[in-house]
Amino acid sequence: MTAPERPDDCLFCRIVAGDVPAEIVLAGETTVAFRDLNPQAPTHVLVIPRSHYENAADLASHDSSGLADMFTTAAQVAEREGLTGGYRTVFNTGAGAGQTVFHAHLHVLGGRPLGWPPG
Ligand code: 5GP
Ligand code: ZN
């Protein structure tokens, strides 16, 4: 999958716009959190910026407070989901690291023991 040139082509921009359904967990001013379609843990939520950035580095270099909002939202998701034993936050950057959707997203995983190192 190549990076979309326009948000119209971007799956996660379409979720932000409400054009593609998703199970929303939190909708904030700058971020949206929704359940992953193919969960890898009992809780698997994706936190995304409302604005389109290709990956975390792109987001960080253009909007550092937006990047901070991603982690604040992740903590709110963890609290809401009762992840008192801990949780993992993951940005996959680039196809070689498993990135398949080229709109920055922070995976929030928890609800089971999470091995280290990750696969
Ligand atoms: P990546 O592999 O890019 O780090 O993560 C993309 C994530 O998006 C995957 O975990 C995948 O399951 C999830 N995903 C792909 N398409 C959809 C969709 O249409 N809706 C939702 N909720 N998640 C999706
Ligand atoms: Zn997008």
Side-chain angles (χ1 to χ4, degrees):
M1 184 179 185
T2 55
E5 309 235 321
R6 291 176 299 118
D8 281 4
D9 302 329
C10 171
L11 174 63
F12 287 176
C13 282
R14 296 182 70 208
I15 286 177
V16 170
D19 294 339
V20 170
E23 192 181 332
I24 306 289
V25 175
L26 275 174
E29 200 176 311
T30 61
T31 63
V32 178
F34 55 93
R35 293 194 195 285
D36 196 291
L37 203 58
N38 182 24
Q40 302 301 313
T43 291
H44 187 174
V45 170
L46 302 175
V47 177
I48 67 172
R50 287 186 179 273
S51 301
H52 181 91
Y53 296 101
E54 187 169 321
N55 56 44
D58 191 24
L59 170 61
S61 63
H62 290 94
D63 182 6
S64 56
S65 74
L67 181 67
D69 291 348
M70 300 277 282
F71 284 99
T72 305
T73 304
Q76 290 168 346
V77 167
E79 161 112 40
R80 192 171 278 224
E81 296 284 309
L83 303 180
T84 52
Y87 62 97
R88 182 166 296 160
T89 45
V90 177
F91 279 114
N92 293 324
T93 301
Q99 187 176 5
T100 58
V101 179
F102 291 84
H103 177 131
H105 52 281
L106 183 57
H107 295 260
V108 181
L109 298 143
R112 66 164 169 81
L114 296 163
W116 191 262

Coordinates of all heavy atoms in Angstrom, one line a residue, residues 35-114:
R35 N -11.6 1.1 18.3 CA -11.1 -0.3 18.4 C -10.5 -0.8 17.1 O -11.1 -0.5 16.0 CB -12.2 -1.2 18.9 CG -12.6 -0.9 20.3 CD -13.5 -1.9 21.0 NE -14.0 -1.4 22.1 CZ -13.4 -1.1 23.3 NH1 -12.1 -1.5 23.4 NH2 -14.0 -0.5 24.3
D36 N -9.4 -1.5 17.2 CA -8.8 -2.1 16.0 C -9.7 -3.2 15.5 O -10.3 -4.0 16.3 CB -7.4 -2.7 16.3 CG -6.6 -3.0 15.1 OD1 -6.9 -3.9 14.4 OD2 -5.6 -2.3 14.9
L37 N -9.8 -3.3 14.2 CA -10.7 -4.3 13.5 C -10.2 -5.7 13.7 O -11.0 -6.6 13.7 CB -10.7 -4.0 12.0 CG -11.9 -4.4 11.2 CD1 -13.2 -3.9 11.7 CD2 -11.7 -4.0 9.7
N38 N -8.9 -5.8 13.9 CA -8.3 -7.1 14.0 C -7.4 -7.1 15.3 O -6.2 -7.1 15.3 CB -7.4 -7.4 12.8 CG -6.7 -8.7 12.8 OD1 -7.2 -9.7 13.5 ND2 -5.6 -8.8 12.1
P39 N -8.1 -7.2 16.5 CA -7.4 -7.0 17.8 C -6.3 -8.0 18.1 O -6.6 -9.2 17.9 CB -8.5 -7.0 18.8 CG -9.7 -7.7 18.1 CD -9.5 -7.4 16.7
Q40 N -5.2 -7.6 18.6 CA -4.1 -8.5 19.0 C -4.0 -8.7 20.5 O -3.1 -9.3 20.9 CB -2.8 -7.9 18.4 CG -2.8 -7.6 16.9 CD -3.0 -8.9 16.2 OE1 -2.4 -10.0 16.5 NE2 -3.9 -8.9 15.2
A41 N -5.0 -8.1 21.2 CA -5.0 -8.2 22.6 C -6.5 -7.9 23.0 O -7.2 -7.3 22.2 CB -4.1 -7.2 23.3
P42 N -6.9 -8.3 24.3 CA -8.3 -8.0 24.7 C -8.6 -6.5 24.5 O -9.8 -6.2 24.2 CB -8.3 -8.5 26.2 CG -7.3 -9.6 26.2 CD -6.2 -9.1 25.3
T43 N -7.7 -5.6 24.8 CA -7.9 -4.2 24.5 C -6.9 -3.9 23.4 O -5.6 -4.1 23.6 CB -7.7 -3.3 25.7 OG1 -8.7 -3.5 26.6 CG2 -7.6 -1.8 25.2
H44 N -7.4 -3.5 22.2 CA -6.5 -3.0 21.2 C -7.2 -1.8 20.5 O -8.1 -2.0 19.7 CB -6.2 -4.1 20.1 CG -5.2 -3.8 19.1 ND1 -4.8 -4.7 18.1 CD2 -4.6 -2.6 18.8 CE1 -3.9 -4.1 17.4 NE2 -3.8 -2.8 17.7
V45 N -6.7 -0.7 20.9 CA -7.3 0.6 20.4 C -6.3 1.4 19.6 O -5.1 1.3 20.0 CB -7.8 1.4 21.7 CG1 -8.2 2.8 21.3 CG2 -9.0 0.7 22.4
L46 N -6.7 2.0 18.6 CA -5.9 2.9 17.8 C -6.2 4.4 18.1 O -7.4 4.8 18.1 CB -6.1 2.7 16.3 CG -5.9 1.2 15.8 CD1 -6.3 1.1 14.3 CD2 -4.4 0.8 16.0
V47 N -5.2 5.1 18.5 CA -5.3 6.6 18.7 C -4.7 7.3 17.5 O -3.6 7.0 17.1 CB -4.6 7.0 19.9 CG1 -4.7 8.5 20.1 CG2 -5.1 6.3 21.2
I48 N -5.5 8.1 16.9 CA -5.1 8.8 15.7 C -5.3 10.4 15.8 O -6.2 10.8 16.5 CB -5.8 8.3 14.4 CG1 -7.3 8.7 14.4 CG2 -5.6 6.8 14.2 CD1 -8.0 8.4 13.1
P49 N -4.4 11.1 15.2 CA -4.7 12.6 15.1 C -5.8 12.9 14.1 O -5.9 12.1 13.1 CB -3.3 13.2 14.6 CG -2.7 12.1 13.9 CD -3.2 10.8 14.4
R50 N -6.6 13.9 14.4 CA -7.6 14.2 13.4 C -7.0 14.7 12.1 O -7.6 14.5 11.1 CB -8.6 15.3 14.0 CG -9.5 14.8 15.1 CD -10.5 15.9 15.6 NE -11.4 15.3 16.6 CZ -12.5 14.7 16.3 NH1 -12.9 14.5 15.1 NH2 -13.3 14.2 17.3
S51 N -5.9 15.3 12.2 CA -5.2 15.8 11.0 C -4.4 14.6 10.4 O -3.9 13.8 11.1 CB -4.3 16.9 11.3 OG -5.0 18.0 11.9
H52 N -4.2 14.7 9.1 CA -3.5 13.6 8.4 C -2.0 13.9 8.4 O -1.5 14.9 7.9 CB -3.9 13.6 6.9 CG -3.2 12.5 6.2 ND1 -3.7 11.2 6.1 CD2 -2.0 12.4 5.5 CE1 -2.9 10.4 5.4 NE2 -1.8 11.2 5.1
Y53 N -1.3 12.9 9.0 CA 0.2 12.8 9.0 C 0.5 11.4 8.7 O -0.1 10.5 9.2 CB 0.8 13.3 10.3 CG 0.6 14.7 10.6 CD1 -0.4 15.1 11.5 CD2 1.3 15.7 10.0 CE1 -0.6 16.4 11.8 CE2 1.1 17.1 10.3 CZ 0.1 17.4 11.2 OH -0.1 18.7 11.5
E54 N 1.6 11.2 7.9 CA 1.8 9.9 7.4 C 2.3 8.9 8.5 O 1.9 7.7 8.4 CB 2.9 10.0 6.3 CG 3.2 8.7 5.6 CD 4.0 8.9 4.3 OE1 3.9 9.9 3.6 OE2 4.9 8.1 4.1
N55 N 3.0 9.4 9.4 CA 3.6 8.6 10.5 C 3.9 9.5 11.7 O 3.7 10.7 11.7 CB 4.8 7.8 10.0 CG 5.9 8.7 9.5 OD1 6.2 9.7 10.1 ND2 6.4 8.3 8.3
A56 N 4.4 8.8 12.7 CA 4.7 9.5 14.0 C 5.7 10.6 13.8 O 5.6 11.7 14.4 CB 5.1 8.6 15.1
A57 N 6.8 10.3 13.0 CA 7.8 11.3 12.8 C 7.3 12.6 12.1 O 7.6 13.7 12.4 CB 9.0 10.7 12.0
D58 N 6.4 12.3 11.1 CA 5.8 13.4 10.3 C 4.9 14.3 11.3 O 5.0 15.5 11.3 CB 4.9 12.8 9.2 CG 4.4 13.8 8.2 OD1 5.0 14.8 8.1 OD2 3.4 13.4 7.6
L59 N 4.2 13.6 12.2 CA 3.3 14.3 13.2 C 4.3 15.1 14.1 O 4.0 16.3 14.4 CB 2.5 13.3 13.9 CG 1.8 13.8 15.2 CD1 0.7 14.8 14.8 CD2 1.1 12.6 15.9
A60 N 5.3 14.5 14.6 CA 6.2 15.1 15.6 C 6.8 16.4 15.0 O 7.0 17.4 15.7 CB 7.3 14.1 16.1
S61 N 7.2 16.3 13.7 CA 8.0 17.4 13.2 C 7.1 18.6 12.8 O 7.5 19.7 12.7 CB 8.8 17.0 12.0 OG 8.0 16.5 11.0
H62 N 5.8 18.3 12.6 CA 4.8 19.4 12.3 C 4.0 19.8 13.5 O 3.5 21.0 13.4 CB 3.9 18.9 11.2 CG 4.6 18.8 9.8 ND1 5.1 17.6 9.4 CD2 4.9 19.7 8.9 CE1 5.7 17.8 8.2 NE2 5.6 19.1 7.9
D63 N 3.7 19.0 14.4 CA 2.8 19.3 15.5 C 3.2 18.5 16.8 O 2.6 17.5 17.1 CB 1.4 18.9 15.0 CG 0.3 19.2 16.0 OD1 0.6 19.8 17.1 OD2 -0.9 18.8 15.8
S64 N 4.2 19.0 17.5 CA 4.7 18.3 18.7 C 3.6 18.2 19.8 O 3.5 17.2 20.5 CB 6.0 18.9 19.2 OG 5.8 20.3 19.5
S65 N 2.8 19.2 19.9 CA 1.7 19.1 20.9 C 0.7 18.1 20.5 O 0.1 17.4 21.4 CB 1.1 20.5 21.2 OG 0.2 20.9 20.2
G66 N 0.5 18.0 19.2 CA -0.5 16.9 18.7 C 0.1 15.5 19.1 O -0.7 14.6 19.4
L67 N 1.4 15.4 19.0 CA 2.0 14.1 19.4 C 1.8 13.8 20.8 O 1.4 12.7 21.3 CB 3.5 14.1 19.0 CG 4.2 12.8 19.3 CD1 3.7 11.6 18.5 CD2 5.7 12.9 19.2
A68 N 2.0 14.9 21.7 CA 1.7 14.7 23.1 C 0.3 14.3 23.4 O 0.0 13.5 24.2 CB 2.1 16.0 23.8
D69 N -0.6 14.9 22.6 CA -2.1 14.6 22.8 C -2.3 13.1 22.6 O -3.2 12.5 23.2 CB -2.9 15.4 21.8 CG -3.0 16.9 22.1 OD1 -2.5 17.3 23.2 OD2 -3.4 17.6 21.3
M70 N -1.6 12.5 21.6 CA -1.7 11.1 21.3 C -1.5 10.2 22.6 O -2.2 9.3 22.9 CB -0.8 10.6 20.2 CG -0.9 11.4 18.9 SD -2.2 10.7 17.9 CE -1.3 9.3 17.3
F71 N -0.4 10.6 23.3 CA -0.1 9.8 24.5 C -1.0 10.1 25.7 O -1.3 9.2 26.5 CB 1.4 10.0 24.9 CG 2.3 9.3 24.0 CD1 3.0 9.9 23.0 CD2 2.6 7.9 24.2 CE1 3.8 9.2 22.1 CE2 3.4 7.2 23.3 CZ 4.0 7.9 22.3
T72 N -1.5 11.3 25.8 CA -2.5 11.7 26.8 C -3.8 10.9 26.5 O -4.4 10.3 27.4 CB -2.8 13.2 26.8 OG1 -1.6 13.9 27.0 CG2 -3.7 13.6 27.9
T73 N -4.2 10.8 25.3 CA -5.4 10.0 24.9 C -5.2 8.6 25.2 O -6.1 7.9 25.7 CB -5.7 10.3 23.4 OG1 -5.9 11.6 23.1 CG2 -7.0 9.5 23.0
A74 N -4.0 8.0 24.9 CA -3.7 6.6 25.2 C -3.8 6.3 26.7 O -4.4 5.3 27.0 CB -2.3 6.3 24.7
A75 N -3.4 7.2 27.5 CA -3.5 7.1 29.0 C -5.0 7.1 29.4 O -5.4 6.3 30.2 CB -2.7 8.1 29.7
Q76 N -5.8 8.0 28.7 CA -7.2 8.0 29.0 C -7.9 6.7 28.6 O -8.8 6.2 29.3 CB -7.8 9.2 28.3 CG -7.4 10.5 28.9 CD -7.8 11.8 28.1 OE1 -8.1 11.6 26.9 NE2 -7.7 12.9 28.7
V77 N -7.5 6.2 27.5 CA -8.0 4.9 27.0 C -7.7 3.8 28.0 O -8.6 3.0 28.4 CB -7.5 4.6 25.6 CG1 -7.8 3.1 25.2 CG2 -8.0 5.5 24.5
A78 N -6.4 3.8 28.4 CA -6.0 2.7 29.4 C -6.8 2.8 30.6 O -7.2 1.8 31.2 CB -4.5 2.9 29.6
E79 N -7.0 4.0 31.1 CA -7.8 4.2 32.3 C -9.2 3.7 32.1 O -9.8 3.0 32.9 CB -7.8 5.7 32.7 CG -8.8 6.1 33.6 CD -8.3 6.6 35.0 OE1 -7.2 7.2 35.0 OE2 -8.9 6.2 36.0
R80 N -9.8 4.1 31.0 CA -11.2 3.8 30.7 C -11.4 2.3 30.6 O -12.4 1.7 30.9 CB -11.6 4.5 29.5 CG -13.1 4.5 29.2 CD -13.4 5.4 28.0 NE -13.5 6.8 28.5 CZ -14.5 7.6 28.1 NH1 -15.4 7.2 27.2 NH2 -14.5 8.8 28.5
E81 N -10.4 1.6 30.0 CA -10.4 0.2 29.7 C -10.0 -0.6 30.9 O -10.0 -1.9 30.9 CB -9.5 -0.2 28.5 CG -10.0 0.5 27.2 CD -11.2 -0.2 26.6 OE1 -11.2 -1.5 26.5 OE2 -12.2 0.5 26.3
G82 N -9.6 0.0 32.0 CA -9.2 -0.7 33.2 C -7.9 -1.4 33.1 O -7.7 -2.5 33.7
L83 N -6.9 -0.9 32.4 CA -5.7 -1.6 32.1 C -4.7 -1.2 33.3 O -3.6 -0.7 33.1 CB -5.1 -1.2 30.8 CG -5.9 -1.4 29.6 CD1 -5.3 -1.0 28.3 CD2 -6.3 -2.9 29.5
T84 N -5.1 -1.6 34.5 CA -4.3 -1.3 35.7 C -3.0 -2.0 35.7 O -2.0 -1.6 36.4 CB -5.1 -1.6 37.0 OG1 -5.6 -2.9 36.9 CG2 -6.3 -0.7 37.1
G85 N -2.9 -3.2 35.1 CA -1.6 -3.9 35.1 C -0.6 -3.4 34.1 O 0.5 -4.0 34.0
G86 N -1.0 -2.4 33.3 CA 0.0 -1.9 32.3 C -0.6 -2.0 30.9 O -1.5 -2.8 30.7
Y87 N 0.1 -1.3 30.0 CA -0.4 -1.4 28.6 C 0.8 -1.0 27.8 O 1.9 -0.5 28.2 CB -1.5 -0.4 28.4 CG -1.3 1.0 28.6 CD1 -0.9 1.9 27.6 CD2 -1.4 1.6 29.9 CE1 -0.7 3.2 27.8 CE2 -1.1 2.9 30.1 CZ -0.8 3.7 29.1 OH -0.5 5.1 29.4
R88 N 0.7 -1.3 26.5 CA 1.8 -1.0 25.5 C 1.3 0.0 24.5 O 0.2 -0.2 24.0 CB 2.3 -2.3 24.9 CG 3.5 -2.0 23.9 CD 4.2 -3.3 23.6 NE 4.8 -3.9 24.8 CZ 5.2 -5.2 24.9 NH1 5.0 -6.0 23.9 NH2 5.7 -5.6 26.0
T89 N 2.2 0.9 24.1 CA 1.9 1.9 23.0 C 2.9 1.6 21.9 O 4.1 1.5 22.2 CB 2.0 3.3 23.5 OG1 3.1 3.5 24.3 CG2 0.7 3.7 24.3
V90 N 2.4 1.5 20.7 CA 3.3 1.2 19.6 C 3.0 2.1 18.4 O 1.8 2.1 18.0 CB 3.2 -0.3 19.1 CG1 4.0 -0.6 17.9 CG2 3.5 -1.3 20.3
F91 N 4.0 2.7 17.8 CA 3.9 3.3 16.5 C 4.7 2.4 15.5 O 5.9 2.2 15.7 CB 4.6 4.7 16.4 CG 3.8 5.8 17.0 CD1 4.2 6.5 18.1 CD2 2.6 6.2 16.3 CE1 3.5 7.6 18.6 CE2 1.9 7.3 16.8 CZ 2.3 8.0 17.9
N92 N 4.1 1.8 14.5 CA 4.8 1.2 13.4 C 5.1 2.3 12.4 O 4.2 3.0 11.9 CB 4.0 0.1 12.8 CG 3.8 -1.1 13.8 OD1 4.7 -1.4 14.6 ND2 2.6 -1.7 13.7
T93 N 6.4 2.4 12.0 CA 6.8 3.4 11.0 C 7.4 2.7 9.9 O 8.5 2.2 10.0 CB 7.7 4.4 11.7 OG1 7.1 5.0 12.8 CG2 8.1 5.5 10.7
G94 N 6.7 2.8 8.7 CA 7.3 2.2 7.5 C 6.8 0.7 7.3 O 6.5 0.0 8.3
A95 N 6.7 0.3 6.1 CA 6.2 -1.0 5.7 C 7.0 -2.1 6.4 O 6.5 -3.1 6.8 CB 6.2 -1.2 4.2
G96 N 8.4 -1.9 6.5 CA 9.2 -2.9 7.1 C 9.0 -3.2 8.5 O 9.3 -4.2 9.1
A97 N 8.3 -2.2 9.2 CA 8.0 -2.4 10.6 C 6.5 -2.8 10.7 O 6.0 -2.8 11.9 CB 8.2 -1.1 11.3
G98 N 5.8 -3.0 9.6 CA 4.5 -3.5 9.7 C 3.4 -2.4 9.5 O 2.2 -2.6 9.7
Q99 N 3.8 -1.1 9.2 CA 2.8 -0.1 8.9 C 2.1 -0.4 7.7 O 2.7 -0.6 6.6 CB 3.5 1.3 8.9 CG 2.4 2.4 8.8 CD 3.0 3.8 8.8 OE1 4.2 4.0 8.8 NE2 2.1 4.8 8.9
T100 N 0.7 -0.4 7.8 CA -0.1 -0.7 6.6 C -1.1 0.4 6.3 O -1.6 0.5 5.2 CB -1.0 -2.0 6.9 OG1 -1.7 -1.8 8.0 CG2 -0.1 -3.2 7.0
V101 N -1.3 1.3 7.3 CA -2.2 2.4 7.1 C -1.3 3.7 7.3 O -0.7 3.8 8.4 CB -3.4 2.4 8.1 CG1 -4.2 3.7 7.8 CG2 -4.2 1.2 7.9
F102 N -1.2 4.5 6.3 CA -0.2 5.6 6.4 C -0.9 6.9 6.8 O -0.7 8.0 6.2 CB 0.5 5.7 5.0 CG 1.4 4.5 4.9 CD1 0.9 3.3 4.4 CD2 2.8 4.5 5.3 CE1 1.8 2.2 4.3 CE2 3.6 3.4 5.2 CZ 3.1 2.2 4.7
H103 N -1.6 6.8 7.9 CA -2.1 7.9 8.7 C -1.6 7.6 10.1 O -2.0 6.5 10.6 CB -3.6 8.0 8.6 CG -4.2 9.1 9.4 ND1 -5.2 10.0 8.9 CD2 -4.1 9.4 10.8 CE1 -5.6 10.8 9.9 NE2 -5.0 10.5 11.0
A104 N -0.8 8.5 10.7 CA -0.2 8.1 12.0 C -1.2 7.5 13.0 O -2.3 8.0 13.1 CB 0.4 9.4 12.6
H105 N -0.8 6.5 13.7 CA -1.7 5.9 14.7 C -0.9 5.2 15.7 O 0.1 4.5 15.4 CB -2.7 4.9 14.0 CG -2.0 3.8 13.1 ND1 -1.6 4.1 11.9 CD2 -1.7 2.5 13.4 CE1 -1.1 3.0 11.3 NE2 -1.1 2.1 12.2
L106 N -1.4 5.3 16.9 CA -0.7 4.8 18.1 C -1.5 3.6 18.6 O -2.7 3.7 18.9 CB -0.6 5.8 19.2 CG 0.1 5.5 20.5 CD1 1.5 5.0 20.3 CD2 0.1 6.7 21.5
H107 N -1.0 2.4 18.5 CA -1.6 1.2 19.0 C -1.6 1.2 20.6 O -0.5 1.5 21.1 CB -0.9 -0.1 18.6 CG -0.9 -0.3 17.1 ND1 -1.8 -1.2 16.5 CD2 -0.2 0.2 16.1 CE1 -1.6 -1.2 15.2 NE2 -0.6 -0.4 14.9
V108 N -2.7 1.0 21.2 CA -2.8 0.8 22.7 C -3.2 -0.6 22.9 O -4.3 -1.0 22.6 CB -3.7 1.8 23.3 CG1 -3.7 1.7 24.8 CG2 -3.4 3.3 22.9
L109 N -2.3 -1.4 23.5 CA -2.6 -2.8 23.7 C -2.5 -3.2 25.2 O -1.6 -2.7 25.9 CB -1.5 -3.6 23.0 CG -1.5 -3.4 21.5 CD1 -0.1 -3.5 21.0 CD2 -2.3 -4.5 20.8
G110 N -3.5 -4.0 25.6 CA -3.4 -4.4 27.0 C -4.5 -5.5 27.3 O -5.2 -5.9 26.4
G111 N -4.5 -5.9 28.5 CA -5.5 -6.9 28.9 C -5.0 -8.3 28.9 O -5.8 -9.3 29.2
R112 N -3.7 -8.5 28.6 CA -3.1 -9.8 28.6 C -1.6 -9.6 28.9 O -1.1 -8.4 28.6 CB -3.3 -10.6 27.4 CG -2.6 -10.0 26.1 CD -2.5 -11.1 25.0 NE -2.1 -10.5 23.7 CZ -0.9 -10.2 23.4 NH1 0.1 -10.4 24.2 NH2 -0.6 -9.8 22.2
P113 N -0.8 -10.6 29.4 CA 0.6 -10.4 29.5 C 1.2 -10.1 28.1 O 0.9 -10.8 27.1 CB 1.1 -11.7 30.0 CG -0.1 -12.4 30.6 CD -1.3 -11.9 29.8
L114 N 2.0 -9.1 28.0 CA 2.6 -8.7 26.7 C 4.1 -9.0 26.8 O 4.9 -8.5 27.6 CB 2.4 -7.2 26.5 CG 0.9 -6.7 26.4 CD1 0.8 -5.2 26.6 CD2 0.4 -7.2 25.0

